[in-house]
Amino acid sequence: SWPDLSNEGQAALLCEPFVSVAAEIDGGEQPETLFAIRPCRNQCSGRLVSLQELVSRSHPSDPFICWTSLPLCPRGFPPFPGYKRPSLEHVVAHARALGEVGEAGIPAHLWAEFRDCVVSPICRFLAENEPFRDALLVSAENESSSSPAEGNSSIGDSTGFLDIDDASGGATASRRAGVTTTARSRVCVQLRRAKFLAVPLDPGNDMGPHTLVAPWRISLILKEHRPPMFALPQYLLEYVPLLKLLGVRDALELPDGAGGSSSDPTDTLRAADQAMEWLFEHGAESFSDVNVHCNGGKLYLHR
């Protein structure tokens, strides 16, 4: 058995490519299931893989956050401690692949499972691992220690808390924070426009039709969908701090220093006027998919 093997024996067994994930081995993925949507096993045809390349099907979340980017063990394989655990790279690649599949590639009866078993675990994985975990902890600490007026200044800032510099940590801590910030920015760029968030088209019917939406198309203040912007689904409320880093935003963006005073109604009205003026003058450019530059001016195209 596995525990009886020496460390050398376990390492040799893990590295040895002797497993075939071809559909002929276990009958392939069951049709009309999530794992049948662009499975990575199709990319491994014609070669053998090792145990350390396979992801366990019995793990509660691992297979759902990477089945398009990593091969799952053949159906019927027993639980095993040496299976591969998905990394950030694989989860990001998986989210982008799902966005490429589109709504047409997801059977209607799978939307609830897709939402609960795929989208939520992906968000949870990102929030609980670097390069997002520390930034979210700093965000939570700052929000809890700041006043309401100060906290409002960060609303709508999709790059909040990316610059972390702990002076007491010295140069080493600063370099480490810089590396983490760079990695986080790289992931944000990849996921900001990736359509991996399942949004119910009827907010009151989670079992109805859904659409796949990129984070930058989600607005925190919309109560109903107003394409090209969509309201935040209820099941994603717990991931708002993460989603802000990925590009979720408010539909209205206040100019810098225009937040007004919460105690002065005049300032509040003035801030609202400035926000509407900004939306009128810059909204088309801010929310457009394609900007066409020509001699006569600019044309902003929306899907």
Side-chain angles (χ1 to χ4, degrees):
S1 63
W2 180 256
D4 296 331
L5 294 176
S6 63
N7 292 337
E8 293 78 8
Q10 291 180 353
L13 184 60
L14 287 175
C15 296
E16 184 65 25
F18 68 94
V19 180
S20 173
V21 294
E24 295 78 10
I25 300 300
D26 61 355
E29 302 299 339
Q30 294 292 323
E32 298 297 311
T33 63
L34 289 176
F35 295 156
I37 302 173
R38 196 186 287 189
C40 184
R41 70 190 301 169
N42 293 346
Q43 305 171 24
C44 303
S45 59
R47 71 179 182 92
L48 299 177
V49 298
S50 62
L51 291 175
Q52 66 177 4
E53 296 179 76
L54 300 173
V55 175
S56 172
R57 290 177 182 267
S58 60
H59 192 279
S61 62
D62 280 2
F64 292 98
I65 62 176
C66 68
W67 83 78
T68 67
S69 56
L70 287 174
L72 306 184
C73 66
R75 292 190 296 115
F77 265 42
F80 173 66
Y83 287 134
K84 188 177 185 66
R85 301 297 305 277
S87 66
L88 176 68
E89 176 185 358
H90 302 120
V91 175
V92 171
H94 181 58
R96 297 181 66 185
L98 294 176
E100 295 172 359
V101 169
E103 300 88 350
I106 302 177
H109 69 281
L110 293 180
W111 279 117
E113 183 181 6
F114 183 88
R115 184 183 65 238
D116 299 336
C117 297
V118 181
V119 180
S120 287
I122 287 178
C123 292
R124 187 180 309 115
F125 179 93
L126 295 174
E128 293 177 351
N129 292 274
E130 291 297 352
F132 292 98
R133 181 183 57 196
D134 286 350
L136 294 176
L137 290 175
V138 172
S139 170
E141 292 174 357
N142 288 348
E143 289 183 357
S144 63
S145 61
S146 63
S147 65
E150 294 172 343
N152 288 339
S153 63
S154 64
I155 294 178
D157 182 5
S158 63
T159 61
F161 311 110
L162 291 183
D163 295 322
I164 302 172
D165 185 11
D166 183 4
S168 62
T172 301
S174 297
R175 284 194 297 269
R176 188 183 302 114
V179 171
T180 302
T181 298
T182 301
R184 184 164 57 251
S185 299
R186 177 177 57 82
V187 174
C188 289
V189 168
Q190 296 182 70
L191 292 183
R192 181 173 181 266
R193 293 177 178 268
K195 295 182 178 181
F196 71 98
L197 300 178
V199 176
L201 292 179
D202 181 2
N205 182 15
D206 289 343
M207 304 303 294
H210 288 57
T211 186
L212 292 177
V213 177
W216 77 308
R217 289 300 190 191
I218 299 290
S219 168
L220 296 177
I221 66 172
L222 289 180
K223 301 304 180 183
E224 298 178 355
H225 302 321
R226 292 291 183 267
M229 301 298 290
F230 293 83
L232 182 73
Q234 194 74 20
Y235 79 99
L236 290 177
L237 284 177
E238 62 179 298
Y239 304 112
V240 165
L242 168 71
L243 294 175
K244 281 186 175 182
L245 293 179
L246 295 180
V248 168
R249 54 185 171 173
D250 295 320
L252 294 179
E253 299 181 13
L254 296 180
D256 291 340
S261 172
S262 58
S263 59
D264 189 340
T266 303
D267 288 349
T268 302
L269 292 175
R270 186 182 301 113
D273 289 340
Q274 290 176 322
M276 294 304 297
E277 181 181 354
W278 181 94
L279 184 65
F280 179 80
E281 295 179 352
H282 306 288
E285 179 178 4
S286 176
F287 302 135
S288 63
D289 291 291
V290 179
N291 298 344
V292 180
H293 300 267
C294 32
N295 291 335
K298 298 179 182 179
L299 176 64
Y300 305 110
L301 303 180
H302 302 260
R303 295 180 183 177

